[in-house]
Amino acid sequence: MQKKGTNNKNWWSRLKRFMRANTNLTVIIIAALLLELTSAIMYYESHDILQRVVERLMERENNALYLCIRNKLAEVEVTMDNIAWVVTDDLANPDSLTKATRQMAEHNRAILGCCICCTPDYFPQKGRWFEPYSIRKDDGSIETMQLGSASHDYTKLEFYTKPMATGSSHWSEPYMDHDGAKAVVTSYSAPIRDYNGRIVGVVAADISMGWLKEEVNQSKAYQSTQRFLVTGQYHLLAGDDNQLLKNVIEHMKSTNDEKGYVTLKDEKGNKKHVFYTPVGGKTDWILINALDDADVFGKLRRVRLNLLLMALAGLLLIGFIVWRSKRNLERLRKVNAEKNRISSELHVASQIQQSMLPANHLKQNDVELYGSLVPAREVGGDLYDYFVRDEKLFFCIGDVSGKGVPSAMVMAVNHALFLSASAHETNPAYIMQSLNEIACQGNESNMFVTMFIGVLDLPTGHLRYCNAGHDVPMILANGQWTSLDAKPHLPVGLFEEVKYGMTETYMQPDSTIFLYTDGLTEAMNSERKQFGIKRVKETLAICTDKHPQELLTAVSEAVHGFVGDAEQSDDLTMLAIRYAPQQYESTLNETLTLKNDVREVAALSNFQKSFYEKMNLEKSLARQLRLAVEEAVVNVIEYAYPAGTEGSVDITMMSDGHWLKVVIDDSGVAFDPTVEKKADTTLSVEERRIGGLGIHLVRELMDSINYERVNGHNILTMKKEVK
């Protein structure tokens, strides 16, 4: 053991002697390692960012293609399900069934051919197999025929046997129809029942695979992208049958997953990034996207190579600089040490203070805000912040116990906690609760923070707030300043078991709320007298018509006039918020009411299309808006009401020529989609949380969204600038 310790000591001594004797070489080696490390970090961070971007892009492409396919299929499904009920009335007249097939083929362009297959001998006068069939020919004309025969025994085909056996609608596997369509088709069939509820046949529609191939190969982000559409039995519907598809199917079979991401190689050994997701609905189809690795990351690798070459050039330059600066190194080290000793505390404190403060002025259509913070020392322990999310103004003001750098550090922590807690929460009491729970952990210095947190809904003026031991704000309404009715709670950081409550009110148009820290009321003059709350109210009483910046200027001048030449004793922070909503005057206003039935989405599509045509919107923008609104409405239809419960959803669309406003109103269970965390598309399928992609898509396509629960109704408002 002694010998081993001696060897380690000798090794370390030799290394130190080498470094002292070869300072220049040591510096260059360290610089080379740092440059290589920096290059590697930049590469892998860029790779990770690009990977997430590609995943979001593929998700968006898949969603768009999925909706296109689903809308096409839903059109057929709804038509055939409805026809299955209508045919019941015509079962006594076989000729009317033939006429019905012709009418379906004439009026639905998505259907290539349509047939009605009755159970054997149902119409004895028509023979054992009665299958009236109508098909649209290439020239657009409709041909009607009777297909059923011993050579074309439809009772043995999947599109007939499945509905007859299960009593429900069914999409068949693709097959070659030699007698009717004379093409590769997939058929959607629904059972026909007589008045006694007995299944007496099926009605079926043939869909050509041609349009699927066209849809699958459109709107690719990368031209080399390979797309495939397969059934749940892994039969190819669209795309090229190649080795890559076989590898993907083999992976899907081994994992038994319908949705996910995997990297595979094609027949040439090229790396492919594969994304697959189910089409859904009444089909078991799966959409597959395969991206070439060279298309996605090729440029990034070239950039990394260029960076390495530049790093080598930089090393040569560093070597020259080190050689030239060796004589001045010691003198520079002494100067820097002295400079660092003097400025280190101020530098750190200043960085913390500056990084925490937002811009002191905010002015937009509905609200105007102005804030100021004057520390008593180089840095202070006061804080204020605000931001707007989903048309809600989140704001806070706080005062940390103590002064100087320690208070500034506590301020930094609480500011970060406020931003984190309010990112996905709209209840100020919950936000305050989160701050307190974390602030109490390891608080050995027993420092605490008085805070006031508010959330103002800009469209309605609904103000929710929570006060944790802070000075009660003043509010201006109807020309009078009064104290805001705020239930007091203990400051943040004292006791973990404190429960915070929320208070609510409504701010009237052109009303103002004034928040401040005790540095205002406790400002002292040379005679040690405090400014006091009475002088605050007297100053505010003559400022009933001032905007936030003018208001804070008037209060600051009053304080400075009172204090005079006396040294500032405490941090002084003020925040003024004026609520001035603008009236939305629509020139076009229409409302549609739907039942909570996904089959009603077709009516929503027609409603939107008509509305956007009246607005004369550009087609690509109209498609994006239709996608966003359908996502939000389908979310309400599927989740707002408990299973088996009937409900409705009102969709109101308004436009003033510059903005489109869509209001979705339902009386279902309370649910705020704006507080949902964004779907993390970087996670694997096993780790990814179910849901979240719909509201993520709405956020991407709309300029703003807003949610409020009013009188038992969920009110979701979406806005898009369309000028």
Side-chain angles (χ1 to χ4, degrees):
M1 294 296 295
Q2 174 114 21
K3 185 175 180 181
K4 183 176 180 180
T6 302
N7 290 337
N8 290 336
K9 185 176 181 180
N10 291 338
W11 175 85
W12 178 243
S13 299
R14 288 195 297 270
L15 178 60
K16 288 194 293 184
R17 285 197 300 270
F18 174 82
M19 294 174 64
R20 283 195 296 268
N22 301 274
T23 304
N24 293 350
L25 181 60
T26 301
V27 171
I28 294 175
I29 292 174
I30 293 175
L33 293 175
L34 290 176
L35 285 172
E36 179 59 25
L37 179 61
T38 302
S39 176
I41 291 174
M42 291 177 60
Y43 174 79
Y44 287 109
E45 286 292 330
S46 301
H47 188 282
D48 185 59
I49 293 173
L50 186 57
Q51 176 78 21
R52 293 197 296 270
V53 170
V54 170
E55 290 182 5
R56 288 195 294 269
L57 180 62
M58 287 300 100
E59 182 180 14
R60 191 176 303 173
E61 281 191 12
N62 284 346
N63 283 336
L65 188 56
Y66 155 78
L67 287 175
C68 181
I69 295 175
R70 280 303 311 140
N71 288 340
K72 193 90 169 184
L73 298 182
E75 181 182 356
V76 175
E77 293 169 357
V78 171
T79 300
M80 301 312 294
D81 288 341
N82 290 336
I83 290 298
W85 288 99
V86 173
V87 168
T88 301
D89 297 330
D90 297 328
L91 288 177
N93 185 0
D95 292 333
S96 65
L97 301 185
T98 303
K99 183 179 179 182
T101 64
R102 186 178 186 88
Q103 290 176 342
M104 284 185 283
E106 287 177 343
H107 295 100
N108 195 319
R109 302 295 299 179
I111 297 176
L112 176 62
C114 179
C115 69
I116 297 177
C117 302
C118 299
T119 55
D121 296 320
Y122 188 82
F123 294 106
Q125 69 273 29
K126 295 292 184 178
R128 178 175 176 78
W129 297 278
F130 180 59
E131 182 188 2
Y133 180 86
S134 295
I135 182 172
R136 180 182 294 102
K137 304 178 115 183
D138 293 339
D139 59 0
S141 63
I142 305 299
E143 180 182 358
T144 302
M145 63 192 76
Q146 206 296 105
L147 280 184
S149 65
S151 60
H152 181 76
D153 188 355
Y154 54 80
T155 62
K156 298 179 181 179
L157 300 179
E158 180 187 358
F159 77 87
Y160 177 89
T161 58
K162 282 289 186 178
M164 293 295 293
T166 63
S168 59
S169 303
H170 173 71
W171 279 102
S172 71
E173 293 291 310
Y175 65 96
M176 179 64 191
D177 184 359
H178 295 282
D179 299 316
K182 295 182 174 56
V184 177
V185 297
T186 179
S187 298
Y188 179 81
S189 51
I192 302 172
R193 302 176 186 271
D194 60 16
Y195 287 117
N196 296 321
R198 183 170 59 91
I199 299 176
V200 297
V202 301
V203 57
D206 296 335
I207 306 300
S208 172
M209 296 295 97
W211 72 270
L212 279 176
K213 294 179 181 179
E214 293 177 0
E215 293 292 346
V216 166
N217 289 311
Q218 287 182 358
S219 303
K220 294 181 181 178
Y222 301 95
Q223 291 302 317
S224 63
T225 299
Q226 297 185 51
R227 283 183 179 162
F228 311 95
L229 187 64
V230 299
T231 68
Q233 302 299 320
Y234 306 110
H235 295 146
L236 183 62
L237 292 170
D240 298 328
D241 189 3
N242 53 31
Q243 185 60 43
L244 176 60
L245 176 61
K246 293 182 175 63
N247 295 341
V248 175
I249 292 176
E250 183 177 343
H251 167 79
M252 294 168 63
K253 288 181 177 179
S254 64
T255 60
N256 200 27
D257 290 331
E258 292 184 345
K259 184 174 183 179
Y261 161 78
V262 67
T263 57
L264 298 171
K265 291 186 178 180
D266 61 10
E267 60 273 17
K268 297 180 179 179
N270 298 321
K271 185 178 180 181
K272 299 287 185 178
H273 298 267
V274 181
F275 302 82
Y276 52 96
T277 184
V279 172
K282 295 184 179 181
T283 72
D284 58 357
W285 300 353
I286 302 172
L287 179 63
I288 302 170
N289 269 290
L291 280 66
D292 191 4
D293 182 79
D295 283 345
V296 180
F297 297 109
K299 291 184 179 179
L300 181 61
R301 295 191 182 98
R302 290 194 293 272
V303 170
R304 186 190 183 196
L305 178 60
N306 292 334
L307 288 175
L308 288 175
L309 295 176
M310 294 175 64
L312 291 175
L315 287 176
L316 295 176
L317 180 60
I318 289 174
F320 176 76
I321 294 174
V322 170
W323 175 75
R324 288 294 302 271
S325 62
K326 181 178 180 181
R327 291 172 298 176
N328 300 321
L329 186 60
E330 284 300 322
R331 184 175 63 181
L332 183 61
R333 185 181 296 118
K334 292 179 181 179
V335 172
N336 285 336
E338 183 67 15
K339 180 181 178 181
N340 290 336
R341 187 188 68 80
I342 295 173
S343 64
S344 60
E345 181 177 350
L346 290 177
H347 177 72
V348 173
S350 176
Q351 288 283 56
I352 294 173
Q353 186 79 64
Q354 293 301 320
S355 65
M356 304 314 298
L357 294 178
N360 60 1
H361 192 205
L362 169 68
K363 186 174 183 180
Q364 60 182 50
N365 293 338
D366 300 312
V367 68
E368 182 179 5
L369 177 149
Y370 196 86
S372 69
L373 189 155
V374 182
R377 300 179 182 176
E378 292 85 359
V379 292
D382 281 6
L383 66 96
Y384 77 91
D385 202 359
Y386 64 87
F387 65 93
V388 177
R389 172 173 67 82
D390 298 331
E391 296 196 318
K392 289 180 173 60
L393 174 67
F394 294 75
F395 61 93
C396 74
I397 189 170
D399 185 3
V400 182
S401 60
K403 298 179 182 65
V405 174
S407 296
M409 296 299 292
V410 175
M411 165 200 151
V413 171
N414 280 273
H415 178 268
L417 292 175
F418 167 75
L419 294 178
S420 176
S422 58
H424 302 287
E425 180 57 64
T426 58
N427 189 321
Y430 293 163
I431 298 173
M432 194 77 77
Q433 193 79 38
S434 300
L435 266 66
N436 184 65
E437 291 174 358
I438 300 177
C440 289
Q441 297 176 8
N443 186 13
E444 298 178 358
S445 61
N446 295 320
M447 298 187 72
F448 60 88
V449 186
T450 65
M451 286 196 73
F452 184 95
I453 297 177
V455 179
L456 174 61
D457 185 71
L458 299 179
T460 63
H462 186 199
L463 175 63
R464 290 167 284 188
Y465 52 94
C466 179
N467 185 20
H470 198 76
D471 296 87
V472 177
M474 304 292 293
I475 186 168
L476 172 65
N478 299 321
Q480 297 292 327
W481 284 97
T482 57
S483 297
L484 190 65
D485 183 16
K487 181 180 179 182
H489 299 87
L490 289 177
V492 171
L494 289 178
F495 304 102
E496 291 187 31
E497 61 272 17
V498 175
K499 300 297 181 183
Y500 293 91
M502 180 183 71
T503 309
E504 300 176 84
T505 188
Y506 279 87
M507 289 188 69
Q508 300 177 10
D510 298 321
S511 59
T512 301
I513 183 172
F514 174 72
L515 304 97
Y516 58 94
T517 61
D518 58 10
L520 175 61
T521 56
E522 297 177 3
M524 292 186 293
N525 59 16
S526 56
E527 297 176 1
R528 308 296 294 175
K529 292 183 179 179
Q530 295 185 347
F531 188 71
I533 187 64
K534 181 179 179 181
R535 289 186 177 86
V536 173
K537 293 181 178 180
E538 291 174 351
T539 304
L540 294 177
I542 60 175
C543 299
T544 57
D545 59 345
K546 295 185 180 296
H547 287 262
Q549 184 174 358
E550 299 170 334
L551 175 62
L552 264 60
T553 300
V555 176
S556 297
E557 291 175 353
V559 173
H560 292 155
F562 173 80
V563 172
D565 296 331
E567 183 180 358
Q568 184 177 341
S569 59
D570 197 2
D571 304 331
L572 174 58
T573 302
M574 296 180 291
L575 183 64
I577 303 171
R578 180 173 180 266
Y579 177 57
Q582 292 187 349
Q583 295 296 324
Y584 183 90
E585 298 181 359
S586 61
T587 57
L588 186 60
N589 188 317
E590 295 183 6
T591 300
L592 174 68
T593 300
L594 301 178
K595 296 180 180 179
N596 57 328
D597 188 338
V598 73
R599 289 177 297 182
E600 299 237 327
V601 173
L604 173 62
S605 179
N606 294 331
F607 173 68
Q608 289 194 82
K609 183 178 179 182
S610 174
F611 192 88
Y612 297 147
E613 288 176 351
K614 294 176 183 178
M615 291 179 61
N616 197 26
L617 281 189
E618 192 268 333
K619 290 185 178 180
S620 62
L621 176 59
R623 284 195 296 269
Q624 294 178 2
L625 294 173
R626 289 171 61 187
L627 178 61
V629 174
E630 287 183 5
E631 279 290 340
V633 173
V634 169
N635 188 58
V636 173
I637 290 176
E638 293 183 345
Y639 303 112
Y641 299 95
T645 302
E646 292 187 358
S648 64
V649 54
D650 296 327
I651 303 97
T652 301
M653 303 184 69
M654 297 170 279
S655 174
D656 63 355
H658 294 281
W659 286 88
L660 170 69
K661 181 189 289 187
V662 182
V663 180
I664 302 174
D665 182 346
D666 70 270
S667 59
V669 296
F671 173 67
D672 184 0
T674 65
V675 302
E676 287 291 295
K677 293 183 178 180
K678 290 185 177 180
D680 189 351
T681 57
T682 63
L683 298 177
S684 66
V685 175
E686 293 80 9
E687 298 172 323
R688 191 175 301 167
R689 181 174 61 89
I690 297 175
L693 295 178
I695 192 64
H696 170 75
L697 180 62
V698 174
R699 287 185 183 277
E700 291 290 325
L701 296 179
M702 287 295 189
D703 289 338
S704 68
I705 62 174
N706 175 265
Y707 169 86
E708 279 291 294
R709 180 76 175 178
V710 181
N711 297 327
H713 282 244
N714 296 307
I715 309 295
L716 181 66
T717 304
M718 304 181 294
K719 294 176 67 178
K720 180 73 173 181
E721 187 175 12
V722 295
K723 68 179 180 179

